[in-house]
Amino acid sequence: MFDLIVRNARCAGISNIAMDIAVKDGKIMAIEPSVDAKAAEEFDAEGFLVSSPFVDSHFHMDATLTYGRPRVNESGTLLEGIALWGELKPLLDKAEIKSRAHRLCRLAIARGNLAIRSHVDICDPDLVAVEALLEVVDEIAPYLDLQLVAFPQDGFLRDPNAKEQLIRALDMGVHVVGGIPHFERSMQDGSQSIVELCRLAADRGLMVDMHCDESDDPLSRHIEMLSQQTVHFGLEGRVTGSHLTSMHSMDNYYVSKLIPLMKEADIQVVANPLINITLQGRHDTYPKRRGMTRVKELVAAGLNVAFGHDCVMDPWYSLGSHDMLEVASMGLHVGQMTGQAEMREMFNAVTINGAKALGLDHFGLEIGKSADFVVLQARDEIEALRLSPTRIAVFRRGSKIASQPKQISTVTLGDEVSEVDYLI
Ligand code: FE2
């Protein structure tokens, strides 16, 4: 007797033949063409796609949903966004940070996103956002895995208090060591920050996730140092390079040396397509650079590439609804990832690759893993990318925590009335 059986599920990454998924005690017990057993609850997936949940591998929960406070970003640029964040920070308090974070988590869950890695700015001496978001981590844990990165927005070395505050944030329970080497005063300081932060992570057994080379400058090469220090400290597979936009502009010969170094260190690559495409290349006239890292080359080299939303309605980005399929679609288009296997990899970039980058071993449509999955009104991953379809149901540990009616439009053309469900 199972707790739940999901019938007629086309399982992402497994088979395009409909299968049954059996669940007990919050875990997947069987994925078979036909499970001949009873369950306390059955759910008919009607041949639609069932996927491992979406994962947002890079987000800023402390800034999200502040659109219009104290004013909007009129120019839509990175510099006005930074100025706006400086104006906004003194207005934030713990209760309202928590309220926005909870609102975002509910939006995420409705979209089938059950894991978010959020950077949290530790440059506030009172660490109000750290305190607020650590409480949210615990409160939302039954439904969503929220992972926090101690992010020194004003520079680990450049801000005289950042070092002490970052360590304090880790002591309070923040999970991952952050950094921003390209924002330090010099290349040398950037390198020094990488050494110190990797040592800190190694000493504490933590993962690392740095905003790294978020710049159009082809000579911003901190990812080289990050890869080297990852190997030096034995942190292979546990270090994420976020953004890596300068790789877009680097010399091809240099990249031919760099990517094998990144591979040796098993660097987790996180691109943020919506933000990279809008914030980078702003100094260009034409040709205008796209500003996203080399997703195609990194995937081809066998690196794990995941995507983040980065921002939703905050000082840097006035748009977004935390739909990770919108992110994947943008990454697919910008990176020209239009091959069949490449498109599926773009779906993976917002699902299982994200889980790998975050170290969430319990995610995945596999026997023994947590019964966390989303039912989409599409028949395969490529159709899901095309339609960004309705999330018919979202399951966490075998319990349905979100649902939405299937989307069907009625079209009336004179006497002819037809129903359109967007599936071809
Ligand atoms: Fe970011």
Side-chain angles (χ1 to χ4, degrees):
M1 179 82 171
F2 293 109
D3 299 328
L4 168 74
I5 297 176
V6 177
R7 303 273 185 200
N8 305 313
R10 280 198 165 102
C11 297
I14 297 179
S15 166
N16 213 27
I17 298 163
M19 314 268 255
D20 293 347
I21 305 170
V23 173
K24 187 152 180 72
D25 299 330
K27 287 198 174 355
I28 297 174
M29 307 304 285
I31 303 176
E32 293 167 12
S34 181
V35 172
D36 186 17
K38 293 219 176 315
E41 193 192 336
E42 295 219 356
F43 181 90
D44 184 2
E46 299 178 50
F48 287 124
L49 181 68
V50 175
S51 161
S52 195
F54 295 108
V55 176
D56 181 354
S57 299
H58 186 114
F59 196 64
H60 293 265
M61 195 75 94
D62 46 2
T64 194
L65 303 180
T66 56
Y67 177 70
R69 294 179 54 204
R71 59 188 175 83
V72 296
N73 182 337
E74 290 291 347
S75 64
T77 58
L78 175 60
L79 284 181
E80 190 176 342
I82 291 170
L84 201 47
W85 179 232
E87 292 168 39
L88 182 63
K89 267 203 263 190
L91 308 177
L92 304 180
D93 67 51
K94 188 172 155 187
E96 74 85 38
I97 293 171
K98 284 188 68 176
S99 151
R100 281 187 290 105
H102 273 291
R103 172 99 182 102
L104 192 282
C105 287
R106 279 152 184 76
L107 288 173
I109 289 164
R111 296 287 199 194
N113 311 337
L114 298 189
I116 302 174
R117 175 181 276 182
S118 175
H119 296 252
V120 50
D121 187 355
I122 54 83
C123 291
D124 153 35
D126 298 326
L127 295 178
V128 174
V130 170
E131 214 177 285
L133 292 181
L134 279 168
E135 287 182 17
V136 176
V137 168
D138 290 338
E139 288 158 4
I140 207 70
Y143 314 105
L144 181 148
D145 292 280
L146 175 59
Q147 210 175 62
L148 299 181
V149 184
F151 174 45
Q153 172 93 61
D154 301 333
F156 181 66
L157 299 174
R158 195 167 179 169
D159 177 336
N161 302 316
K163 199 179 292 192
E164 182 260 322
Q165 282 162 211
L166 189 140
I167 290 169
R168 197 144 51 91
L170 296 178
D171 288 342
M172 286 164 74
V174 170
H175 314 99
V176 182
V177 176
I180 185 163
H182 59 275
F183 192 71
E184 304 294 351
R185 286 192 182 86
S186 64
M187 294 296 278
Q188 200 178 357
D189 277 5
S191 294
Q192 183 60 29
S193 76
I194 291 170
V195 173
E196 290 189 31
L197 289 162
C198 285
R199 181 178 295 129
L200 198 54
D203 287 349
R204 291 176 175 239
L206 298 176
M207 290 185 282
V208 175
D209 186 341
M210 293 196 193
H211 283 65
C212 191
D213 302 322
E214 188 181 4
S215 156
D216 294 317
D217 176 5
L219 297 178
S220 186
R221 295 176 168 186
H222 293 294
I223 181 58
E224 178 188 284
M225 187 67 175
L226 185 60
S227 302
Q228 190 264 344
Q229 287 294 301
T230 297
V231 173
H232 175 77
F233 284 107
L235 291 166
E236 290 93 337
R238 302 169 53 77
V239 173
T240 297
S242 275
H243 290 294
L244 304 175
T245 53
S246 75
M247 284 186 73
H248 187 95
S249 300
M250 284 174 183
D251 172 71
N252 284 337
Y253 181 80
Y254 175 68
V255 171
S256 76
K257 173 195 162 197
L258 176 63
I259 290 182
L261 271 181
M262 293 168 69
K263 175 80 175 136
E264 184 190 351
D266 194 9
I267 293 289
Q268 306 297 306
V269 173
V270 173
N272 297 291
L274 294 171
I275 305 308
N276 301 151
I277 195 74
T278 46
L279 292 186
Q280 302 303 314
R282 287 289 183 132
H283 293 270
D284 295 354
T285 53
Y286 285 93
K288 199 184 275 287
R289 285 169 287 180
R290 288 156 189 247
M292 191 174 75
T293 195
R294 299 190 184 208
V295 167
K296 191 183 278 277
E297 290 77 2
L298 290 160
V299 166
L303 280 114
N304 186 52
V305 177
F307 288 160
H309 207 305
D310 204 357
C311 308
V312 170
M313 300 188 75
D314 69 9
W316 296 274
Y317 189 61
S318 309
L319 301 163
S321 63
H322 216 262
D323 181 351
M324 291 311 294
L325 281 170
E326 186 189 358
V327 173
S329 177
M330 179 60 78
L332 183 159
H333 286 87
V334 176
Q336 300 179 333
M337 296 292 284
T338 47
Q340 293 288 308
E342 288 177 333
M343 287 196 278
R344 286 193 197 92
E345 192 59 18
M346 295 296 87
F347 188 88
N348 293 343
V350 292
T351 53
I352 53 175
N353 293 3
K356 186 174 177 215
L358 271 57
L360 300 173
D361 296 335
H362 60 281
F363 268 44
L365 277 188
E366 285 174 44
I367 291 164
K369 303 274 185 182
S370 291
D372 294 4
F373 37 77
V374 50
V375 185
L376 295 144
Q377 192 184 349
R379 287 163 304 198
D380 61 30
E381 295 94 318
I382 294 171
E383 199 164 62
L385 287 162
R386 179 172 72 82
L387 297 172
S388 193
T390 301
R391 279 63 165 173
I392 298 170
V394 180
F395 288 88
R396 173 78 163 178
R397 311 292 189 258
S399 295
K400 189 162 66 177
I401 60 167
S403 62
Q404 203 180 354
K406 276 183 290 178
Q407 193 182 5
I408 295 171
S409 299
T410 302
V411 177
T412 307
L413 305 178
D415 295 339
E416 183 211 299
V417 179
S418 53
E419 290 197 325
V420 174
D421 64 2
Y422 310 98
L423 308 176
I424 304 300

